[in-house]
Amino acid sequence: MTTINKCLFPVAGYGTRFLPATKAIPKEMFPILTKPLLQHGVEEALSAGIVNMAIVTGRGKRAIEDHFDNAFELEAQLKNTPNEHYLKDIRHIIEKATFSYVRQKKMLGLGDAISTGKTLIGNETFAVILPDDLCTNSGDSVLAQMTLLHKDYPDCCIVAVEEVPNEEVGKYGIVEIESIPNVTKSMQNLAFKVTNMIEKPTLKESPSNLAIIGRYILTPEIFEVLEKTKPDNNGEIQITDALMTLAKKGKVIAYKFQGRRFDCGSVKGFVVATNYFAKAEGLI
Ligand code: UTP
């Protein structure tokens, strides 16, 4: 089976870099113009044909559940008024998508957050979107591009990668790649086999400049591997370490996506994204 039915959104993190704003408001609810980061992510999943959203949430993030639910009082207030159109996009999402939630008990890293999502995913291949990596493209969305690639490699995990400057390799999981024998023509120079990956390497130990960004397609095998993956020095379970186990079996593909990514988990990236979308809307 090659269809992907569910998209996992690990959004339990503390958002420390945005304190004090993240004390009571989840980072994922910060808007780029009027739309929360998580809504951008959900729209990307829908654009890839995925309607079931599985959200790994945490304490203090109830606003997320309210956002993707009906708000009867507001609906009634705005019905048949000139302001009703403001609710159009979110109404469409609520109608089309399902949302299920589980809470990560302790924030023990992205790997642990993905393990926590197992109860919502079950035994099937699934997509992962980290909404603080906001992606945009004039053609197919990044996740839609990846689901197409998945059809050719249903037994492999896929990670989206992009080149980052030398001084930034230490912020990411970095991959070493080689070409895939007989890769389809349209994927030449875009899809590669991952042979090694290192989380937050020094420039010296970094195998390349290709950084993993917040889009993944994961086979259910990842859950077994995550269970056996040991925490790093900070006590966090890294998805990169688990993926490395699968890469050793030749089961991880790196995909150089078409489009642009904004690191909205950092204040600078958030401002850059806001300016980009404001310009695109003719607001500045
Ligand atoms: P980040 O490290 O970018 O997010 O994790 P953060 O921890 O919220 O932010 P800072 O570093 O404290 O500023 C990447 C993604 O993984 C999720 C985060 O919510 C974010 O979407 N995550 C991280 C979890 O869901 N659980 C965790 O234990 C860690």
Side-chain angles (χ1 to χ4, degrees):
M1 194 173 87
T2 58
T3 334
I4 294 172
N5 298 309
K6 294 177 185 163
C7 185
L8 189 74
F9 295 86
V11 295
Y14 291 122
T16 323
R17 284 166 288 172
F18 276 93
L19 281 169
T22 42
K23 247 193 104 191
I25 300 167
K27 172 177 70 175
E28 300 75 20
M29 290 304 295
F30 288 3
I32 298 294
L33 306 190
T34 58
K35 204 181 282 179
L37 283 171
L38 184 53
Q39 185 175 333
H40 283 278
V42 167
E43 288 180 0
E44 185 177 333
L46 284 170
S47 79
I50 302 172
V51 295
N52 300 301
M53 313 300 160
I55 301 186
V56 179
T57 174
R59 283 177 291 285
K61 302 235 176 186
R62 258 180 240 165
I64 291 175
E65 288 172 55
D66 289 339
H67 184 73
F68 294 106
D69 195 1
N70 291 309
F72 290 110
E73 195 181 328
L74 190 62
E75 294 276 343
Q77 287 290 337
L78 297 192
K79 201 166 172 61
N80 300 327
T81 74
N83 288 335
E84 195 174 3
H85 68 97
Y86 288 119
L87 288 173
K88 189 171 149 264
D89 287 355
I90 187 66
R91 262 190 198 153
H92 172 74
I93 290 173
I94 292 168
E95 256 171 45
K96 236 184 149 188
T98 75
F99 293 87
S100 48
Y101 299 87
V102 62
R103 280 192 183 198
Q104 189 181 10
K105 290 178 195 157
K106 284 186 188 168
M107 306 335 167
L108 294 177
L110 181 56
D112 180 70
I114 291 175
S115 281
T116 304
K118 183 182 176 190
T119 182
L120 303 176
I121 298 295
N123 189 30
E124 58 184 88
T125 297
F126 60 104
V128 178
I129 289 182
L130 306 187
D132 43 9
D133 267 344
L134 174 56
C135 292
T136 177
N137 187 36
S138 52
D140 284 348
S141 71
V142 174
L143 196 61
Q145 296 166 40
M146 292 169 76
T147 52
L148 272 181
L149 179 62
H150 164 71
K151 288 186 201 303
D152 289 339
Y153 302 98
D155 299 328
C156 289
C157 293
I158 302 173
V159 295
V161 295
E162 87 174 350
E163 268 177 41
V164 295
N166 281 349
E167 56 277 15
E168 288 190 15
V169 291
K171 294 200 311 196
Y172 295 92
I174 302 288
V175 296
E176 187 174 330
I177 55 170
E178 64 181 36
S179 53
I180 304 174
N182 306 320
V183 66
T184 42
K185 228 177 174 185
S186 60
M187 287 296 168
Q188 266 169 10
N189 305 319
L190 296 180
F192 301 88
K193 194 161 107 180
V194 174
T195 53
N196 191 14
M197 52 211 309
I198 309 182
E199 182 64 25
K200 302 188 175 65
T202 60
L203 184 56
K204 212 171 154 202
E205 65 191 0
S206 189
S208 75
N209 278 46
L210 286 176
I212 302 175
I213 63 122
R215 298 291 179 280
Y216 306 76
I217 289 179
L218 301 175
T219 59
E221 210 179 341
I222 198 76
F223 292 126
E224 290 158 43
V225 179
L226 276 169
E227 263 172 39
K228 293 182 199 139
T229 302
K230 297 212 167 69
D232 66 7
N233 293 339
N234 299 320
E236 293 198 345
I237 297 178
Q238 297 294 348
I239 187 66
T240 316
D241 293 338
L243 282 167
M244 188 54 215
T245 305
L246 296 179
K248 280 185 192 149
K249 298 183 191 170
K251 286 185 170 179
V252 181
I253 290 174
Y255 174 64
K256 289 187 187 173
F257 62 93
Q258 323 266 308
R260 182 151 178 202
R261 177 200 64 119
F262 299 94
D263 172 17
C264 294
S266 73
V267 177
K268 188 177 168 195
F270 189 88
V271 172
V272 173
T274 300
N275 281 334
Y276 176 91
F277 283 88
K279 272 196 190 129
E281 291 286 322
L283 295 173
I284 52 173

